[in-house]
Amino acid sequence: MGLSEIAAGLELTTEQVDRGVATVDDTDVDRDARLREYESDLPCTAAAAGTVLDRYESGASVGEAGEAAALAPVTAAKLLHRCGFDGVTPLAPTARQVLRDWLDGRLSRADALELTGADDAEFALAAYVETHDPIPELAETVRRDAAAPLAEDALVSKRDALAETMSTASDLR
């Protein structure tokens, strides 16, 4: 089969539709306004929360970020958890299960403390993390500010956002 046989039936057109440049822009979310909106659900003021988030996102430790906002490290960790940051719980998965048993009333606090090996501050922080879910609207805002994907997969997010501009195999017939 030659090239001319392969190209048989193909047509060229001189007309092209200018569709412009497709963009996805999530920068219009005002993090400070969102923090003020959910301030009553946070363990600190919105202003302190903004400082902690700025410092933490620029690479400071939880303690350093809290110190910059005049907050205890445990309060900064609580804030980060409420804003959707993972990994602020001081307990390993097995110890978290022991904590859940205590929260459900199946263990005494003394037994749970002994089994987890945590000190009082670690235990209190872990209990806060277990009993307070992240605030989805704040987590979304923080992810957008950090230029992280809007969903679990950046490729899927972009595909969904630009779905109208994409063609499918059925469009090629």
Side-chain angles (χ1 to χ4, degrees):
M1 176 180 274
L3 195 53
S4 59
E5 293 171 338
I6 294 172
L10 292 180
E11 292 182 26
L12 296 176
T13 62
T14 57
E15 190 177 314
Q16 183 174 352
V17 177
D18 183 14
R19 298 184 190 261
V21 178
T23 62
V24 177
D25 184 6
D26 289 320
T27 58
D28 62 343
V29 176
D30 182 0
R31 183 178 70 184
D32 292 331
R34 188 68 57 91
L35 288 170
R36 285 189 302 274
E37 182 181 345
Y38 289 92
E39 187 171 29
S40 63
D41 296 325
L42 299 176
C44 61
T45 65
T51 301
V52 170
L53 292 173
D54 288 341
R55 294 294 175 97
Y56 187 74
E57 289 171 345
S58 68
S61 69
V62 175
E64 292 168 342
E67 186 178 309
L71 297 174
V74 71
T75 304
K78 289 176 181 181
L79 169 73
L80 293 172
H81 168 70
R82 295 291 283 181
C83 290
F85 286 94
D86 292 326
V88 294
T89 184
L91 300 182
T94 303
R96 286 197 309 267
Q97 184 55 50
V98 170
L99 176 74
R100 286 184 203 112
D101 289 343
W102 170 70
L103 289 170
D104 292 340
R106 291 189 290 257
L107 281 175
S108 70
R109 186 174 191 282
D111 288 343
L113 268 169
E114 183 180 333
L115 290 170
T116 60
D119 63 26
D120 285 331
E122 292 169 335
F123 194 79
L125 174 58
Y128 182 88
V129 168
E130 285 298 321
T131 57
H132 293 78
D133 292 329
I135 302 167
E137 294 82 4
L138 290 179
E140 231 177 70
T141 303
V142 169
R143 277 197 304 272
R144 288 179 181 169
D145 282 353
L150 299 177
E152 294 301 314
D153 186 343
L155 184 59
V156 172
S157 295
K158 287 178 186 175
R159 181 200 65 211
D160 292 346
L162 299 172
E164 293 178 9
T165 65
M166 299 170 72
S167 58
T168 63
S170 64
D171 295 337
L172 299 175
R173 291 187 196 149

